Amino acid sequence: MTSADVIVVGSGLAGLVAASELAAAGRSVIVVDQEPEQSLGGQAFWSFGGLFLVDSPEQRRMGIRDSRELAWQDWLGSAGFDRAEDEWPRRWAEAYVDFAAGEKRAWLRQLGIKLFPIVGWAERGGYDATGHGNSVPRFHITWGTGPALVETFANRARAGEVEFRFRHRVDEITTSGGAVSGVRGKVLEPSSVPRGRPSSRTETADFTLTAPIVVVTSGGIGGNHDLVRRNWPERLGTPPAQMISGVPAHVDGRMIGITEAAGGAVINPDRMWHYVEGVQNWDPVWERHGIRILPGPSSIWLDALGRRLPVPLYPGFDTLGTLAHLRSTGFDHSWFVLTQKIIEKEFALSGSEQNPDLTGRDIRKVLGRIRGGAPAPVEAFKRNGADFVVASTLDELVAGMNSLTESPLLSLKEVRRVLEARDRELNNAFTKDMQIASIRNFRTYRGDRLMRTAAPHRILDPAMGPLIAVRLHVLTRKTLGGLHTDLDGRVLDAAGHPVPGLYAAGEVSGFGGGGMHGYRALEGTFLGGCLFSGRQAARSIASS
């Protein structure tokens, strides 16, 4: 068909949710995507599957006392809404917290999506009640990780009246009489490249599709480093000269400009979320492919000159605060220093492909995380990763670290001083070292004690295994600003009025409103933002 009730641009998670909801409501839908069918699901396929839920049965079983009020307090402390244009983002944020504390889990379970029973604490944030970060663990891992979410909504869409048009690159959202009338663009030649790898841009034909409603769900800008640098905020310092990519190159933001040309407004383009614990993938899928370490709290974090990062910039605490601090050092990299005991207990790698036990829903392999030893993908990075140094002595470790930089930046004497000073703080059950105090606090949570936080020990204790250093890079990831939308997902123009027939969902809309996360995101809210905004737009369209 060349016309439908709705055209959805983008076959990532937000697009699949929107299409499946619309089909369930009896609407005909065409989904167009420039990538081949094997890339169905977009970035959600590569994800760890973490979902933000509030006061869930999984939390209660782990002894976590959560509430909608506490979650909203954490969200506001992280978001820091302070702009006039934050009205819709704030309303989206509150609606999302209500969703996460309300029907989200039941809706997912009704669709057959299950959760891993141990709730994670991926981003712990600051150190006061109203600061940023999650006060309690809320990171619920999808059983089957990202691919399970993609499979659920892709199957649901295919069961309805949804037609997929892959290799269809949209170049224009067409309008007639001031309202959306469809899309036009180019058909690209077929491509059999594996998921995530660059596909051909050779054009074979023109296409035009018509519909009174177009929903843009095309994702963010993380694969376009030039655009990331162009929007980089001064508050985070200067953009890095060298970055690695957490997303493929086709996540380039081009549909943002195309939607602007159709009348849509973009707000908060300077709000973005990049990780500082990125390592180069030793087995890359796309260019500059990086993987994020999801660290426990015990590694010692040093800047490029070997200085320990200040309170509370510890692993897994404050992503953007750490990024801003590291940008002030004049270097694009930093270091974790740790032991074999820490890497075994605390290192997880973000991504479905880096967690085959959870992705494959293999209970026996998952139990291996509790029994001891590092997961196989972590050990593979330790053996093969260009950013990993393993040594039996500190002298050898620092020499190996210096060999990874253009010139030797680290002083053995200074690194030894930092580590010995930290180790002395373990001689008593009490301490002034806030990282050690935090580790002891986190281990009172059963989930951390079981799987995520090593017992405090001296880094320089030979009995704890070899010493390990990991060179860390800035890893591009998420766009927190985007197309300005109201709570129905309608794209607004520069005057704040809906553009007739134009909707947006997912990362391209800052996951709702043009930036529902504000300046900082709580972990587990990206996939959830795609779920909620895709559903919200579809249900609004279906009810109109």
Side-chain angles (χ1 to χ4, degrees), residues 187-484:
V187 179
L188 306 179
E189 69 177 356
S191 175
S192 60
V193 298
R195 177 188 293 272
R197 294 200 183 276
S199 60
S200 167
R201 291 294 178 261
T202 300
E203 301 166 1
T204 61
D206 298 321
F207 78 88
T208 299
L209 300 172
T210 60
I213 294 172
V214 171
V215 185
V216 180
T217 62
S218 54
I221 67 172
N224 186 338
H225 289 193
D226 290 338
L227 193 55
V228 168
R229 292 189 180 97
R230 196 179 312 155
N231 289 291
W232 191 275
E234 289 186 11
R235 66 182 176 275
L236 293 179
T238 58
Q242 300 293 327
M243 296 184 285
I244 55 179
S245 291
V247 295
H250 66 252
V251 185
D252 57 7
R254 66 185 299 274
M255 277 305 302
I256 297 174
I258 291 169
T259 310
E260 283 186 286
V266 171
I267 61 172
N268 302 317
D270 63 317
R271 292 179 180 169
M272 53 185 67
W273 184 266
H274 307 303
Y275 291 111
V276 280
E277 312 101 328
V279 291
Q280 300 170 84
N281 194 342
W282 66 273
D283 187 20
V285 176
W286 52 81
E287 184 182 3
R288 297 176 294 195
H289 188 179
I291 296 292
R292 185 210 175 186
I293 296 170
L294 286 165
S298 300
S299 297
I300 306 303
W301 206 332
L302 305 179
D303 68 16
L305 298 178
R307 298 169 297 197
R308 191 175 178 188
L309 270 56
V311 177
L313 305 182
Y314 307 131
F317 273 63
D318 181 358
T319 294
L320 291 193
T322 307
L323 175 59
H325 173 79
L326 290 174
R327 295 312 308 142
S328 72
T329 68
F331 297 92
D332 290 347
H333 73 278
S334 61
W335 295 95
F336 279 166
V337 176
L338 59 148
T339 65
Q340 179 66 24
K341 290 295 183 184
I342 291 173
I343 203 171
E344 289 179 2
K345 190 85 167 182
E346 297 194 4
F347 267 39
L349 299 170
S350 182
S352 55
E353 81 283 13
Q354 300 299 331
N355 295 275
D357 51 352
L358 292 163
T359 301
R361 301 175 235 205
D362 190 321
I363 294 175
R364 183 180 59 82
K365 288 183 179 179
V366 170
L367 290 175
R369 297 187 182 222
I370 298 174
R371 288 194 294 265
V378 173
E379 280 293 336
F381 263 83
K382 194 182 81 171
R383 287 193 310 271
N384 305 311
D387 297 308
F388 284 71
V389 180
V390 182
S392 57
T393 69
L394 186 60
D395 299 50
E396 294 169 344
L397 188 78
V398 173
M401 295 163 75
N402 278 330
S403 73
L404 295 187
T405 55
E406 291 184 5
S407 59
L409 299 174
L410 298 170
S411 159
L412 172 61
K413 180 180 178 180
E414 178 60 18
V415 173
R416 187 182 299 279
R417 184 195 67 80
V418 169
L419 297 181
E420 287 180 345
R422 180 266 185 198
D423 282 358
R424 289 189 192 103
E425 292 292 325
L426 287 168
N427 290 336
N428 296 285
F430 46 86
T431 180
K432 71 175 183 180
D433 188 300
M434 294 307 297
Q435 184 175 7
I436 295 173
S438 295
I439 292 167
R440 289 170 174 164
N441 173 54
F442 297 144
R443 281 178 59 83
T444 64
Y445 167 51
R446 197 158 62 244
D448 269 2
R449 193 168 64 253
L450 279 172
M451 295 188 67
R452 289 292 289 149
T453 305
H457 59 270
R458 291 185 295 114
I459 299 295
L460 297 178
D461 182 353
M464 296 296 107
L467 290 166
I468 302 166
V470 187
R471 182 178 54 175
L472 306 172
H473 308 262
V474 175
L475 177 75
T476 63
R477 187 57 66 88
K478 293 300 180 184
T479 308
L480 297 189
L483 295 170
H484 199 188

Side-chain angles (χ1 to χ4, degrees), residues 500-531:
L502 189 56
Y503 290 74
E507 190 176 353
V508 74
S509 65
F511 301 88
M516 75 171 186
H517 297 95
Y519 289 96
R520 288 181 174 87
L522 296 177
E523 287 285 1
T525 59
F526 296 145
L527 288 176
C530 290
L531 295 172

Side-chain angles (χ1 to χ4, degrees), residues 141-165:
I141 299 170
T142 304
W143 187 234
T145 68
L149 289 170
V150 171
E151 180 183 32
T152 296
F153 288 99
N155 289 343
R156 191 167 178 241
R158 286 175 170 139
E161 195 175 347
V162 177
E163 180 179 329
F164 287 91
R165 298 284 187 94

